[in-house]
Amino acid sequence: MAAGRDAVVGKLSVLDRFLPVWIGVAMVVGLGLGRLVPGVDTAISAVSVDGISLPIAIGLLVMMYPVLAKVRYDRLDTVTGDRRLLVCSLLLNWIVGPAVMFALAWLMLPDLPEYRTGLIIVGLARCIAMVIIWNDLACGDREAAAVLVAINSVFQVIMFAVLGWFYLSVLPGRLGLDQTTIDTSPWEIAKSVLVFLGIPLLAGFLTRRIGERVKGRSWYESTLLPRLGPWALYGLLFTIVILFVLQGHQITSRPWDVARIALPLLAYFAIMWGGGYLIGALAGMGYERTTTLAFTAAGNNFELAIAVAIGTYGVSSGQALAGVVGPLIEVPVLVGLVYVSLALRSRFPVAAGRGAQETSGGAADAR
């Protein structure tokens, strides 16, 4: 098992190999700037268009574009024809995930209604952004990840407000628990999806299509992609710094509250990732698609969750703090799970016709 992991990790660049260190540094830098530099969070927050933070949007676009440029769009039909994968993903993301977060929030935060509500909102916001990075670092199936996040984006527009009403109003009422609600429109959710997924997806598709037509697939895979690759991690680190600059004061001034919120989040990530991995393995999906299933089940769209919490309850609310703690816990935990995935890789049979994946600038490049 260790040999399989070392074989993959050994191909990583210095940037990739020490990614947990760089992420830790980015989080500390962001928290430090937000806490120690007066007005920096206000200045960054002011740079927004129609409620969307431009610095965060830029970071996410830079992060996702190189990975989506690596996707082989001519292979997407092999994913859409995999009914086991699609059904398992839909069940995990839209039935199991929200229910698990609801249960954990009520079990672990029965006395903290604001944080509880914030966590439930996080559970409803299925991942469409950073999961692309975690999946790629773990050598998951890129094409499957592209399809699953696209499906999540469609369901997010349709189901987010409906599930919010159910888990915050209907179900608590039926169980004799406190009720609350969220105020968001399908357009607000669609806007988030279009910005954070639509733009980089279109850019990645056009880059591959034009690049292969003009220079050929060999040049595209061997020359252009290695140059684009490192920018995914630059964008990730930039996004983390900005996120923690914006919420540095909130996080560092309420450490006990952060710890209380972190416990159900840790349990959630473990249950969702472990459940996705177990289901994929038992269903015989192979390493790549099992990994993709696990990470798309465990990740959350923290950008949407934070935006909804702030828009409904205010920037200083407990609900907003719960949303902010989401990436604080998610980022290091899912980076750790990348290494767990790589360690488990040797336990899966190698798919016929697939060689070992190469890594360059932040993920597996050759496939």
Side-chain angles (χ1 to χ4, degrees):
M1 179 170 67
R5 175 195 59 201
D6 294 341
V8 175
V9 175
K11 297 175 183 177
L12 296 173
S13 67
V14 173
L15 177 64
D16 299 325
R17 193 173 304 171
F18 296 100
L19 180 61
V21 175
W22 311 136
I23 285 177
V25 170
M27 293 168 70
V28 170
V29 169
L31 289 171
L33 289 173
R35 183 74 179 182
L36 301 176
V37 180
V40 66
D41 53 342
T42 303
I44 292 176
S45 298
V47 186
S48 63
V49 174
D50 198 19
I52 294 176
S53 168
L54 285 184
I56 291 179
I58 290 170
L60 287 170
L61 296 179
V62 171
M63 177 186 76
M64 294 178 65
Y65 164 65
V67 181
L68 290 169
K70 295 173 186 176
V71 170
R72 286 285 301 275
Y73 293 93
D74 56 338
R75 290 179 177 165
L76 293 185
D77 59 334
T78 66
V79 180
T80 56
D82 189 342
R83 293 186 179 180
R84 290 179 307 171
L85 177 66
L86 299 181
V87 170
C88 288
S89 179
L90 287 172
L91 289 174
L92 283 168
N93 274 287
W94 297 101
I95 295 179
V96 177
V100 166
M101 188 68 91
F102 175 86
L104 291 172
W106 273 100
L107 286 171
M108 296 187 178
L109 301 174
D111 57 327
L112 298 170
E114 290 190 0
Y115 299 154
R116 186 175 63 235
T117 298
L119 284 183
I120 292 171
I121 293 173
V122 170
L124 299 177
R126 311 314 300 167
C127 196
I128 63 169
M130 276 195 179
V131 72
I132 297 283
I133 287 286
W134 311 137
N135 177 74
D136 219 42
L137 289 169
C139 300
D141 188 315
R142 255 186 227 122
E143 289 71 41
V147 170
L148 295 184
V149 296
I151 291 173
N152 273 350
S153 70
V154 173
F155 269 76
Q156 204 155 94
V157 174
I158 299 170
M159 296 300 297
F160 184 88
V162 174
L163 288 174
W165 167 73
F166 176 76
Y167 280 105
L168 294 174
S169 298
V170 176
L171 187 57
R174 293 290 180 88
L175 298 176
L177 305 172
D178 294 337
Q179 297 172 270
T180 183
T181 186
I182 57 174
D183 180 22
T184 188
S185 68
W187 163 241
E188 291 298 314
I189 301 165
K191 182 174 63 177
S192 171
V193 169
L194 288 171
V195 171
F196 297 127
L197 177 62
I199 293 174
L201 183 62
L202 179 62
F205 172 78
L206 291 176
T207 300
R208 178 172 280 278
R209 189 171 182 84
I210 295 171
E212 288 187 354
R213 281 190 174 182
V214 174
K215 291 282 192 174
R217 177 164 294 175
S218 178
W219 173 87
Y220 185 86
E221 298 279 353
S222 63
T223 303
L224 182 60
L225 289 185
R227 293 177 182 174
L228 292 178
W231 286 94
L233 297 188
Y234 300 152
L236 171 65
L237 297 175
F238 175 79
T239 303
I240 291 170
V241 170
I242 296 299
L243 276 172
F244 290 105
V245 165
L246 292 174
Q247 302 297 336
H249 181 77
Q250 281 254 72
I251 292 171
T252 56
S253 63
R254 297 152 83 176
W256 175 243
D257 290 352
V258 169
R260 289 287 306 272
I261 296 167
L263 289 176
L265 281 169
L266 286 169
Y268 171 83
F269 293 132
I271 291 170
M272 294 303 297
W273 187 89
Y277 219 91
L278 180 62
I279 290 171
L282 291 176
M285 292 183 188
Y287 173 79
E288 294 177 341
R289 290 194 176 175
T290 294
T291 296
T292 300
L293 180 67
F295 278 100
T296 51
N300 292 90
N301 185 354
F302 60 83
E303 307 91 0
L304 175 60
I306 294 171
V308 169
I310 290 175
T312 302
Y313 303 103
V315 69
S316 61
S317 65
Q319 291 89 342
L321 178 62
V324 170
V325 174
L328 175 68
I329 305 302
E330 178 181 20
V331 169
V333 168
L334 292 191
V335 168
L337 290 174
V338 166
Y339 286 89
V340 174
S341 287
L342 295 175
L344 294 172
R345 192 181 189 191
S346 62
R347 294 183 178 272
F348 287 80
V350 177
R354 290 206 182 224
Q357 292 177 326
E358 302 295 331
T359 54
S360 174
D365 282 330
R367 196 160 69 224

